[in-house]
Amino acid sequence: MEENEYSSSAFAIAVVAMAISAIFMAAAPLVFIAILYQGGFDTVPVHSGSGDVISHVNNTVVALLFSGFMFFFSALVFFFSKKAVAKFLKQRDAA
């Protein structure tokens, strides 16, 4: 099998990855709101495995970091899977 040959299973995987990453990008703001709802705008304690409080973190910063990372990673996957789908469609049209 040639490297440039159109593969329907790879096309399906790219489409599914694109759809799932789009859902995760849409859910990132909801994750931000959910984290803020859990801890508010104040600082929240960080516990060790034994239950002792190690330190405190600003919950707003944590919410921004988690939801931002979720959105950024999903956007990367979406971008590259969209490029793969376009490549597969171009190969299909050329064949």
Side-chain angles (χ1 to χ4, degrees):
M1 188 161 103
E2 290 184 20
E3 185 177 325
N4 293 339
E5 189 173 318
Y6 175 75
S7 173
S8 61
S9 61
F11 176 74
I13 290 171
V15 169
V16 168
M18 192 169 70
I20 291 174
S21 63
I23 292 169
F24 272 69
M25 283 192 311
L30 299 175
V31 169
F32 175 75
I33 293 169
I35 293 173
L36 281 182
Y37 179 75
Q38 289 289 326
F41 291 102
D42 296 332
T43 58
V44 291
V46 178
H47 297 280
S48 67
S50 62
D52 299 329
V53 174
I54 299 172
S55 65
H56 290 79
V57 294
N58 188 341
N59 196 49
T60 309
V61 173
V62 171
L64 280 173
L65 287 175
F66 279 131
S67 62
F69 177 75
M70 179 180 174
F71 184 83
F72 176 71
F73 186 72
S74 299
L76 269 170
V77 171
F78 184 81
F79 174 73
F80 286 116
S81 60
K82 187 175 179 181
K83 283 180 71 171
V85 166
K87 178 185 169 191
F88 286 133
L89 290 176
K90 185 177 178 183
Q91 286 178 358
R92 184 194 65 185
D93 293 341

